[in-house]
Amino acid sequence: MNVIALIMAAGTGERFGARKQTSLLNGRTMLACSCAVLADSPRVAGLVVVTTPGDESAPLDVPGGEAARKLVAVVGGGATRQDSVYNGLDRVPDGTTHVLIHDAARPCLTAMLRDRVIDALAAHEAVVPAVPVTDTLIRDVDANVD
């Protein structure tokens, strides 16, 4: 199995008010968190990052080590998420048998979930992971908190 991870990081973050994938979480960008978990698997051969059009040559916050070594390409996204995925798939190397598609704005990917998805690909043509939602964090910027 030759697995490439496609990391979607082209969103504008309109509802969030900023680009989520470049927002910090425990001192690292959400993009860096996703890249690190995906690259840490010996079963993931490479990473393709899809970024905001025009940012393809901008420095990415990709952690060193495996993530930097496994970075195959950085490509600009399209007008829609579908177009962005298409652009990323166009840069997947020949010989790739499976593609993991991950949204960098969802930074809580665990090694266990990554491995379960890869394991499931051995038996199924397509896999969509689902995790239960337990809480939503809301910050009221107008609240007076002492």
mmCIF file with all atom_site columns, all heavy atoms in Angstrom, residues 6-18:
data_model
loop_
_atom_site.group_PDB
_atom_site.id
_atom_site.type_symbol
_atom_site.label_atom_id
_atom_site.label_alt_id
_atom_site.label_comp_id
_atom_site.label_asym_id
_atom_site.label_entity_id
_atom_site.label_seq_id
_atom_site.pdbx_PDB_ins_code
_atom_site.Cartn_x
_atom_site.Cartn_y
_atom_site.Cartn_z
_atom_site.occupancy
_atom_site.B_iso_or_equiv
_atom_site.pdbx_formal_charge
_atom_site.auth_seq_id
_atom_site.auth_comp_id
_atom_site.auth_asym_id
_atom_site.auth_atom_id
_atom_site.pdbx_PDB_model_num
ATOM 1  N N   . LEU A 1 6  ? -3.214  14.041 1.667  1.00 0.00 ? 6  LEU A N   1
ATOM 2  C CA  . LEU A 1 6  ? -3.554  15.324 1.072  1.00 0.00 ? 6  LEU A CA  1
ATOM 3  C C   . LEU A 1 6  ? -4.102  16.193 2.196  1.00 0.00 ? 6  LEU A C   1
ATOM 4  O O   . LEU A 1 6  ? -5.111  15.856 2.811  1.00 0.00 ? 6  LEU A O   1
ATOM 5  C CB  . LEU A 1 6  ? -4.604  15.092 -0.014 1.00 0.00 ? 6  LEU A CB  1
ATOM 6  C CG  . LEU A 1 6  ? -5.026  16.218 -0.909 1.00 0.00 ? 6  LEU A CG  1
ATOM 7  C CD1 . LEU A 1 6  ? -3.857  16.723 -1.733 1.00 0.00 ? 6  LEU A CD1 1
ATOM 8  C CD2 . LEU A 1 6  ? -6.129  15.726 -1.835 1.00 0.00 ? 6  LEU A CD2 1
ATOM 9  N N   . ILE A 1 7  ? -3.415  17.286 2.502  1.00 0.00 ? 7  ILE A N   1
ATOM 10 C CA  . ILE A 1 7  ? -3.801  18.135 3.624  1.00 0.00 ? 7  ILE A CA  1
ATOM 11 C C   . ILE A 1 7  ? -4.386  19.429 3.083  1.00 0.00 ? 7  ILE A C   1
ATOM 12 O O   . ILE A 1 7  ? -3.697  20.229 2.446  1.00 0.00 ? 7  ILE A O   1
ATOM 13 C CB  . ILE A 1 7  ? -2.606  18.413 4.556  1.00 0.00 ? 7  ILE A CB  1
ATOM 14 C CG1 . ILE A 1 7  ? -2.014  17.089 5.030  1.00 0.00 ? 7  ILE A CG1 1
ATOM 15 C CG2 . ILE A 1 7  ? -3.029  19.287 5.729  1.00 0.00 ? 7  ILE A CG2 1
ATOM 16 C CD1 . ILE A 1 7  ? -0.710  17.219 5.752  1.00 0.00 ? 7  ILE A CD1 1
ATOM 17 N N   . MET A 1 8  ? -5.671  19.601 3.329  1.00 0.00 ? 8  MET A N   1
ATOM 18 C CA  . MET A 1 8  ? -6.399  20.746 2.809  1.00 0.00 ? 8  MET A CA  1
ATOM 19 C C   . MET A 1 8  ? -6.208  21.940 3.748  1.00 0.00 ? 8  MET A C   1
ATOM 20 O O   . MET A 1 8  ? -6.628  21.906 4.895  1.00 0.00 ? 8  MET A O   1
ATOM 21 C CB  . MET A 1 8  ? -7.884  20.406 2.670  1.00 0.00 ? 8  MET A CB  1
ATOM 22 C CG  . MET A 1 8  ? -8.149  19.133 1.860  1.00 0.00 ? 8  MET A CG  1
ATOM 23 S SD  . MET A 1 8  ? -7.358  19.123 0.239  1.00 0.00 ? 8  MET A SD  1
ATOM 24 C CE  . MET A 1 8  ? -8.147  20.526 -0.503 1.00 0.00 ? 8  MET A CE  1
ATOM 25 N N   . ALA A 1 9  ? -5.540  22.984 3.245  1.00 0.00 ? 9  ALA A N   1
ATOM 26 C CA  . ALA A 1 9  ? -5.253  24.172 4.058  1.00 0.00 ? 9  ALA A CA  1
ATOM 27 C C   . ALA A 1 9  ? -5.485  25.444 3.244  1.00 0.00 ? 9  ALA A C   1
ATOM 28 O O   . ALA A 1 9  ? -4.744  26.407 3.359  1.00 0.00 ? 9  ALA A O   1
ATOM 29 C CB  . ALA A 1 9  ? -3.812  24.110 4.566  1.00 0.00 ? 9  ALA A CB  1
ATOM 30 N N   . ALA A 1 10 ? -6.537  25.432 2.415  1.00 0.00 ? 10 ALA A N   1
ATOM 31 C CA  . ALA A 1 10 ? -6.782  26.563 1.522  1.00 0.00 ? 10 ALA A CA  1
ATOM 32 C C   . ALA A 1 10 ? -7.953  27.432 1.957  1.00 0.00 ? 10 ALA A C   1
ATOM 33 O O   . ALA A 1 10 ? -8.292  28.382 1.275  1.00 0.00 ? 10 ALA A O   1
ATOM 34 C CB  . ALA A 1 10 ? -7.018  26.056 0.096  1.00 0.00 ? 10 ALA A CB  1
ATOM 35 N N   . GLY A 1 11 ? -8.565  27.117 3.072  1.00 0.00 ? 11 GLY A N   1
ATOM 36 C CA  . GLY A 1 11 ? -9.747  27.873 3.498  1.00 0.00 ? 11 GLY A CA  1
ATOM 37 C C   . GLY A 1 11 ? -9.431  29.300 3.895  1.00 0.00 ? 11 GLY A C   1
ATOM 38 O O   . GLY A 1 11 ? -8.325  29.621 4.326  1.00 0.00 ? 11 GLY A O   1
ATOM 39 N N   . THR A 1 12 ? -10.445 30.154 3.773  1.00 0.00 ? 12 THR A N   1
ATOM 40 C CA  . THR A 1 12 ? -10.264 31.566 4.112  1.00 0.00 ? 12 THR A CA  1
ATOM 41 C C   . THR A 1 12 ? -10.644 31.863 5.559  1.00 0.00 ? 12 THR A C   1
ATOM 42 O O   . THR A 1 12 ? -10.276 32.904 6.082  1.00 0.00 ? 12 THR A O   1
ATOM 43 C CB  . THR A 1 12 ? -11.114 32.454 3.190  1.00 0.00 ? 12 THR A CB  1
ATOM 44 O OG1 . THR A 1 12 ? -12.490 32.093 3.348  1.00 0.00 ? 12 THR A OG1 1
ATOM 45 C CG2 . THR A 1 12 ? -10.694 32.294 1.741  1.00 0.00 ? 12 THR A CG2 1
ATOM 46 N N   . GLY A 1 13 ? -11.401 30.972 6.196  1.00 0.00 ? 13 GLY A N   1
ATOM 47 C CA  . GLY A 1 13 ? -11.786 31.173 7.593  1.00 0.00 ? 13 GLY A CA  1
ATOM 48 C C   . GLY A 1 13 ? -12.760 32.304 7.799  1.00 0.00 ? 13 GLY A C   1
ATOM 49 O O   . GLY A 1 13 ? -12.709 32.990 8.826  1.00 0.00 ? 13 GLY A O   1
ATOM 50 N N   . GLU A 1 14 ? -13.671 32.508 6.843  1.00 0.00 ? 14 GLU A N   1
ATOM 51 C CA  . GLU A 1 14 ? -14.627 33.621 6.946  1.00 0.00 ? 14 GLU A CA  1
ATOM 52 C C   . GLU A 1 14 ? -15.424 33.578 8.243  1.00 0.00 ? 14 GLU A C   1
ATOM 53 O O   . GLU A 1 14 ? -15.513 34.578 8.944  1.00 0.00 ? 14 GLU A O   1
ATOM 54 C CB  . GLU A 1 14 ? -15.591 33.598 5.757  1.00 0.00 ? 14 GLU A CB  1
ATOM 55 C CG  . GLU A 1 14 ? -14.998 34.191 4.511  1.00 0.00 ? 14 GLU A CG  1
ATOM 56 C CD  . GLU A 1 14 ? -16.005 34.232 3.376  1.00 0.00 ? 14 GLU A CD  1
ATOM 57 O OE1 . GLU A 1 14 ? -17.171 34.584 3.627  1.00 0.00 ? 14 GLU A OE1 1
ATOM 58 O OE2 . GLU A 1 14 ? -15.606 33.909 2.250  1.00 0.00 ? 14 GLU A OE2 1
ATOM 59 N N   . ARG A 1 15 ? -16.032 32.441 8.575  1.00 0.00 ? 15 ARG A N   1
ATOM 60 C CA  . ARG A 1 15 ? -16.847 32.355 9.793  1.00 0.00 ? 15 ARG A CA  1
ATOM 61 C C   . ARG A 1 15 ? -15.987 32.440 11.046 1.00 0.00 ? 15 ARG A C   1
ATOM 62 O O   . ARG A 1 15 ? -16.389 32.996 12.051 1.00 0.00 ? 15 ARG A O   1
ATOM 63 C CB  . ARG A 1 15 ? -17.664 31.052 9.809  1.00 0.00 ? 15 ARG A CB  1
ATOM 64 C CG  . ARG A 1 15 ? -18.747 31.035 8.755  1.00 0.00 ? 15 ARG A CG  1
ATOM 65 C CD  . ARG A 1 15 ? -19.440 29.712 8.744  1.00 0.00 ? 15 ARG A CD  1
ATOM 66 N NE  . ARG A 1 15 ? -18.453 28.694 8.363  1.00 0.00 ? 15 ARG A NE  1
ATOM 67 C CZ  . ARG A 1 15 ? -18.617 27.396 8.494  1.00 0.00 ? 15 ARG A CZ  1
ATOM 68 N NH1 . ARG A 1 15 ? -19.720 26.917 8.997  1.00 0.00 ? 15 ARG A NH1 1
ATOM 69 N NH2 . ARG A 1 15 ? -17.692 26.550 8.129  1.00 0.00 ? 15 ARG A NH2 1
ATOM 70 N N   . PHE A 1 16 ? -14.779 31.917 10.996 1.00 0.00 ? 16 PHE A N   1
ATOM 71 C CA  . PHE A 1 16 ? -13.873 31.904 12.141 1.00 0.00 ? 16 PHE A CA  1
ATOM 72 C C   . PHE A 1 16 ? -13.261 33.287 12.376 1.00 0.00 ? 16 PHE A C   1
ATOM 73 O O   . PHE A 1 16 ? -12.873 33.632 13.482 1.00 0.00 ? 16 PHE A O   1
ATOM 74 C CB  . PHE A 1 16 ? -12.785 30.852 11.902 1.00 0.00 ? 16 PHE A CB  1
ATOM 75 C CG  . PHE A 1 16 ? -11.836 30.648 13.036 1.00 0.00 ? 16 PHE A CG  1
ATOM 76 C CD1 . PHE A 1 16 ? -12.251 30.078 14.226 1.00 0.00 ? 16 PHE A CD1 1
ATOM 77 C CD2 . PHE A 1 16 ? -10.504 31.000 12.912 1.00 0.00 ? 16 PHE A CD2 1
ATOM 78 C CE1 . PHE A 1 16 ? -11.364 29.872 15.273 1.00 0.00 ? 16 PHE A CE1 1
ATOM 79 C CE2 . PHE A 1 16 ? -9.605  30.801 13.948 1.00 0.00 ? 16 PHE A CE2 1
ATOM 80 C CZ  . PHE A 1 16 ? -10.043 30.235 15.131 1.00 0.00 ? 16 PHE A CZ  1
ATOM 81 N N   . GLY A 1 17 ? -13.125 34.056 11.294 1.00 0.00 ? 17 GLY A N   1
ATOM 82 C CA  . GLY A 1 17 ? -12.538 35.395 11.406 1.00 0.00 ? 17 GLY A CA  1
ATOM 83 C C   . GLY A 1 17 ? -11.049 35.418 11.127 1.00 0.00 ? 17 GLY A C   1
ATOM 84 O O   . GLY A 1 17 ? -10.411 36.460 11.221 1.00 0.00 ? 17 GLY A O   1
ATOM 85 N N   . ALA A 1 18 ? -10.477 34.290 10.786 1.00 0.00 ? 18 ALA A N   1
ATOM 86 C CA  . ALA A 1 18 ? -9.055  34.172 10.450 1.00 0.00 ? 18 ALA A CA  1
ATOM 87 C C   . ALA A 1 18 ? -8.852  32.813 9.798  1.00 0.00 ? 18 ALA A C   1
ATOM 88 O O   . ALA A 1 18 ? -9.714  31.938 9.895  1.00 0.00 ? 18 ALA A O   1
ATOM 89 C CB  . ALA A 1 18 ? -8.187  34.276 11.702 1.00 0.00 ? 18 ALA A CB  1
#
